[in-house]
Amino acid sequence: MRMVPATLVLALAACAAPPPSRPAPAAQVVAPARLDAAAAQGAAQGEGAAALDQWWTAWGDPALDRLVDAALAANTDLRVARAHVEAARALASVAEAALYPTIAAQGAGWGNAGDTGIDGTAGSVLSPFTRGATGGGYLVGLGAQWEPDIFGGRHADVAAAQAMAGGVDWMAQGVRLMVVADVVENYQQWRGLEARLALLDQSLEATRALTAYVAARQGTGQASKPDLTRAQAAAASLEATRPQLLALIDARRRRLAILSGALPEAMVDVVPRRGGSSDLAVPPPPSGQWPSTILERRPDVRASMAMVAARAAKLKSYKADLYPRFSIGFSGQNGELGLSGLPGFGGTMGLLNVKASVPIFTGGLLRGRIAAGQAELEGALAAQDRTVLSSLEEVETAYGLRAGFDARVAGLVSARTLSARRADEAQAFYRAGRVTLGDVLQARLDTLSDADKLEQARIAQRSATVQLYRALGGGWSPPAPGPSVSSAHPALPVLQGSSPR
C-alpha cells in the first residue's frame, strides 16, 4: 500500500479550511458617563474620595472589625470558593501542559529456566539446549511525543482555561464581598435591635406606671373603666413585642456565629445596651464614583467578562480543529537477550516519526461545534450586558435608598426632639399643677415611641448603606496582572475590554 503524498495532504487541508465566518459579536451595552443618584448624593454631601478597601472599618467599631476578620478566616462559603479557585487554576495548568512534549521512560527485565519436554527426533537434537535452559534479558527505552500547535488550537484552549480560572477567582471575590456584607448587615441590625429592646423596656416601665396611675384614679372615680382597660391593653401590646425582639436578636447572633465558621449555639457575646441608642456611626455614602470604575471593580461583571473571553477562546479552538494536525514522535530502545547454550544478542534502536491528519468527513461534528461555540459566545455577551445593566441599576437604587433613608432619619430626629421637648414641658406643667401625672407619662411614652421609630429608620439606613457598598463592589483591591498560570502560585491576569475583537 502506497503512502499518501504530502501534496495530497496539503490539498485536503486547503479543502477543510473554514470559510469566512461572520464577525465576532460585541457587547451592546455602553456604560453611562455618570450615575445620576451618585452625582446627586455627592452634590448634597460634598465630593470626596471613597475608600472601598476594607470599607467596614468606616463604621468605627472594633467589635465589627473582629467579626469580619473571623468570618474571612473561617467562613465555610469562602473555603469552598477558595477550593474552586485552586481547582480552576489546576485545570488551566492541565490545559497548558498540552503545549509541551510528553516524555516517558520505560524498561523491562526478565529471566527464565525451563524444560520444553519436546519428544521425538527434534527433542533428541534440541535436548542439549532446551533441557534445563536458563537465560534473561532487559529492554529499556525513552519515548517522546509532541503535537506542535501550528494553528493555535491548543493555545486557545489554554486561554479559555485561564479565562475560566479568572472568572472563578472573581466569583470567589464576590463570595467574599457577600460574606463581609452579611456580617456587617447582621451586626448593625443586632445593635439596632438591642437599642430597640432598651427603648421597649423603658416604655414598659412608663406604661406600667401609667396603668397603675389610671387604676388609682379609677378607684377614686376620676377615671372610667374603659380608660383603665385602654392602658392595660397598651401595656399588654408592648409586653407582647418583647419576645419577638429577643428572638430577632438571637437570630442575628446565631447568624454571626455561622458566618464565623462556628456552631449556632456558640453565639457571640452580647453588645452592651447604650441607653436606647445603638451608638453605631453610619459612614457617609461614597462619592466620586464613576460607572467605569464600578464595573471594573464589580466581581459579577468581571466574571461575566471572563466568561466572554473563555467562550471566544473556545470558539477559536473549535475552528482550529478544521485544520491539519501534526505530531512528532521519537522512540529509542536498548536491550539484550541471552539463553544458556545459545549466542546472546542485543543492541540499540531509534525511531523518529512524523504524523499528519486532516479531517475529511466528520458528519458535521466540527461544524456543529463551531456553531455551538458561536452561540455560546453570543449568549455570554448577552449575559455580560445583562450583568452590566443590573449592576448599574443596583448602584442607582442603592444610592436612592440611602438618600431616602437619610431624609427620613433627619425628619425623625426633628420629631424626637420635639416630642422630648413636649415631655419636658409636660413635666414642668405637672410641677406647676397644670397637668396630671398621666399627661406626663403619656408624653414620655410618645417620646420613646418616636425614639423607636428613629432607631428603626437608622437600622434601615445602615442596611441601605451595606447594600450600597455591596453594589459598588467594595472590599478588596483588584488583582494586578501577573505571570501565566504555569507558575506555582499564579496571578490571574486582569481582563480588559468587554468582548473579543
Side-chain angles (χ1 to χ4, degrees), residues 3 7 50 102 164 170 179 190 192-193 195 287 293 313 326 337 376 395 434 449 478 485:
M3 299 294 292
T7 54
T102 58
M164 290 295 293
W170 278 107
V179 169
W190 173 28
L193 290 169
S287 57
T293 57
F326 302 90
L337 175 64
E376 289 174 349
V395 173
R434 301 178 59 180
S449 177
V485 296

Side-chain angles (χ1 to χ4, degrees), residues 48 87 106 256 272 332 345 386 470 473 490:
Q106 58 184 3
L256 288 171
F345 63 91
R386 179 187 61 197
R470 184 168 54 228

Side-chain angles (χ1 to χ4, degrees), residues 39-97:
Q41 196 87 340
Q45 304 202 14
E47 292 292 339
L52 294 183
D53 211 21
Q54 296 187 339
W55 58 270
W56 56 91
T57 59
W59 297 76
D61 193 313
L64 174 60
D65 297 342
R66 289 192 296 270
L67 284 173
V68 171
D69 291 341
L72 292 179
N75 182 264
T76 53
D77 290 332
L78 285 176
R79 289 163 54 195
V80 171
R82 284 192 287 264
H84 288 169
V85 171
E86 293 298 325
R89 288 175 173 172
L91 290 176
S93 299
V94 171
E96 193 178 43

Side-chain angles (χ1 to χ4, degrees), residues 300-301 304-305 307-308 376-390:
D300 53 348
V301 175
S304 66
M305 292 169 58
M307 183 59 67
V308 170
E376 289 174 349
L377 176 58
E378 293 176 355
L381 284 166
Q384 176 184 328
D385 289 342
R386 179 187 61 197
T387 304
V388 169
L389 290 174
S390 299

Side-chain angles (χ1 to χ4, degrees), residues 300-376:
D300 53 348
V301 175
R302 297 306 300 271
S304 66
M305 292 169 58
M307 183 59 67
V308 170
R311 294 303 184 191
K314 202 61 182 176
L315 177 60
K316 181 179 178 181
S317 174
Y318 290 150
K319 290 181 178 180
D321 288 339
L322 293 172
Y323 293 97
R325 300 179 66 169
F326 302 90
S327 64
I328 302 173
F330 170 78
S331 177
Q333 293 183 342
N334 179 273
E336 183 177 324
L337 175 64
L339 188 64
S340 60
L342 294 176
F345 63 91
T348 301
M349 179 186 68
L351 176 64
L352 178 68
N353 64 83
V354 178
K355 297 180 182 179
S357 64
V358 60
I360 298 177
F361 177 75
T362 60
L365 173 64
L366 301 182
R367 302 287 179 173
R369 286 178 178 173
I370 293 174
Q374 188 83 17
E376 289 174 349

Side-chain angles (χ1 to χ4, degrees), residues 364-498:
L365 173 64
L366 301 182
R367 302 287 179 173
R369 286 178 178 173
I370 293 174
Q374 188 83 17
E376 289 174 349
L377 176 58
E378 293 176 355
L381 284 166
Q384 176 184 328
D385 289 342
R386 179 187 61 197
T387 304
V388 169
L389 290 174
S390 299
S391 301
L392 296 174
E393 179 191 17
E394 288 179 10
V395 173
E396 294 278 17
T397 301
Y399 268 113
L401 286 174
R402 172 60 197 264
F405 284 117
D406 285 350
R408 177 168 173 77
V409 167
L412 289 174
V413 167
S414 298
R416 186 195 60 177
T417 302
L418 291 173
S419 62
R421 184 186 305 170
R422 176 175 174 269
D424 292 340
E425 292 171 350
Q427 185 71 28
F429 274 86
Y430 174 70
R431 292 194 187 99
R434 301 178 59 180
V435 297
T436 65
L437 179 60
D439 296 328
V440 175
L441 292 174
Q442 188 59 54
R444 172 65 174 163
L445 285 172
D446 292 341
T447 302
L448 292 171
S449 177
D450 288 340
D452 183 66
K453 292 177 183 177
L454 175 59
E455 192 58 45
Q456 292 184 58
R458 283 175 172 167
I459 293 175
Q461 179 194 39
R462 293 191 289 260
S463 295
T465 305
V466 175
Q467 180 179 344
L468 176 58
Y469 277 106
R470 184 168 54 228
L472 293 175
W476 67 88
S477 298
S484 67
V485 296
S486 61
S487 58
H489 296 285
L492 296 175
V494 176
L495 301 175
Q496 301 292 340
S498 59

